[in-house]
Amino acid sequence: MRVLVVGGGGREHALVWKIRQSPLVKEVYCAPGNAGIARQARCVPIGVGDLQGLVGFARRERIDLTVVGPEEPLVKGITERFQQEGLTVFGVSSKAAILEGSKSYAKKLMKRYGIPTAAFEIFGEPQEARNYVKSRGVPLVLKADGLAAGKGVFVCRSLEEAYRAIEEIMVRKSFGQAGEKVVVEDCLEGEEASFLAITDGETVVPFPAAQDHKAVFDNDEGPNTGGMGAYSPAPVMTDALARCVMEDIMLPTVRAMAQEGRPYKGILYAGLMISKEGPKVLEFNVRLGDPEAQPLMVLLKSDLVPLLLAALDGRLSQVKPVWENGAAVCVVMASGGYPGPYQKGKIISGLDEAESMKGVVVFHAGTKWEGGRFLTDGGRVLGVTAQGQQVAEAIDRAYKAVGQIHWEGVHYRKDIGQKALRRGRRE
Ligand code: AMP
């Protein structure tokens, strides 16, 4: 088979790395890819939003399967476009991608179908939002309705913060059209977990639960980022809890989407808060998380490609993915200053040493190859991922590899996976 992966971050590197190992696959392409991906796939300079360019390429190169990494092309309708041309593509339709593309849609759907989530109201006018915030009281969470690259969510502990968030989202329109509506929801307490599954629209096959680290600094301090690290499995997700998430959230959501005339075929990712009353949905994503995809791809023992094809053919009930026993941890190495302004073009050293270490895979996110060496080329630069018998071993290996890699101004969190260790010690 000839496979095209759409995207150019760490998640797509992990997908390319895994897909390349499939005996079914002869050639892997990636659009646009990055310098690390270019060592394992043929990268083509087509942006993820250029649906016309992507369709044209897939037709010309007779691509047998296209796998879409990020949400943007899914929301824009890449799946329908490919299908209209008779091309096979793994990713939800734009009709189903509304579950991520519009938070107000997702919240209303959850309310209609009794799927547990925080109480909320939706507003199209800033003054109405301010009045509600004042009467409801803090803490509250304010969210821009549309896609905002993970930056449109404000957890507000004072009224001033909430008013500022309304100003930012609705008046200054910092997230453009995404801020035409705002979702104001109650603040939930608990531990977060990422619950991902693959579905053919009926059968839902869960992946091991993962945990992301969104804040830029240790102990979850500082502004939110795209994700500074992840590990899987997440001990907070016990088997009993996972069954409850399947019964109360994943299956009802897939059924609800079918009932709404938006059949859901692809990856369903529920960002959860494990509250005292049980798991509640913070948000849905319609694709693999980045960086959750990195540990998940390392942990997946069986072939990914037949799993994707089974989902497309409605045969998931016949396939059972096999997972490695231990744990995997991904530590994101970022440019100093990220998620704010940062410099690019710094020389990265120590990659070979890190990659030669046992159980370690270095996924690239923002790198470029110039003058015979790798340079930094983005906010999140690398996802150093390691596997171990237990999470402690995976953490140890990941940080030993991280210690080999250097560039001027490099920043990474030192506490990725510590929540899993703490929980392990308590139990
Ligand atoms: P979202 O993009 O909706 O997952 O929100 C980003 C982050 O904001 C989440 O990972 C949580 O840390 C936080 N968050 C979102 N909604 C809530 C909520 N209702 N209560 C508490 N924290 C929240």
Side-chain angles (χ1 to χ4, degrees), residues 167-188:
E167 196 70 16
E168 178 113 14
I169 296 171
M170 304 188 86
V171 183
R172 284 172 45 202
K173 294 218 180 296
S174 301
F175 312 103
Q177 274 200 343
E180 296 216 324
K181 277 187 269 182
V182 67
V183 177
V184 185
E185 59 180 55
D186 288 0
C187 194
L188 299 173

Side-chain angles (χ1 to χ4, degrees), residues 189-193 236-237 241 272-276 278-280:
E189 301 291 337
E191 192 170 335
E192 287 182 49
V236 64
M237 188 60 62
L241 207 50
L272 303 174
M273 185 69 88
I274 313 301
S275 73
K276 282 205 182 81
K280 293 190 180 182

Side-chain angles (χ1 to χ4, degrees), residues 230-305:
Y231 63 87
S232 179
V236 64
M237 188 60 62
T238 58
D239 289 349
L241 207 50
R243 276 196 295 278
C244 156
V245 172
M246 284 296 287
E247 290 304 316
D248 297 346
I249 294 170
M250 305 304 276
L251 287 161
T253 301
V254 170
R255 284 189 209 120
M257 291 299 277
Q259 219 158 322
E260 296 292 311
R262 299 174 184 274
Y264 199 100
K265 204 180 257 208
I267 299 289
L268 177 60
Y269 166 147
L272 303 174
M273 185 69 88
I274 313 301
S275 73
K276 282 205 182 81
E277 300 111 67
K280 293 190 180 182
V281 178
L282 296 176
E283 64 162 345
F284 283 118
N285 293 325
V286 297
R287 33 79 197 177
L288 288 170
D290 186 346
E292 291 95 325
Q294 288 85 316
L296 286 173
M297 287 304 109
V298 164
L299 284 179
L300 181 61
K301 198 170 175 180
S302 51
D303 193 341
L304 175 66
V305 175

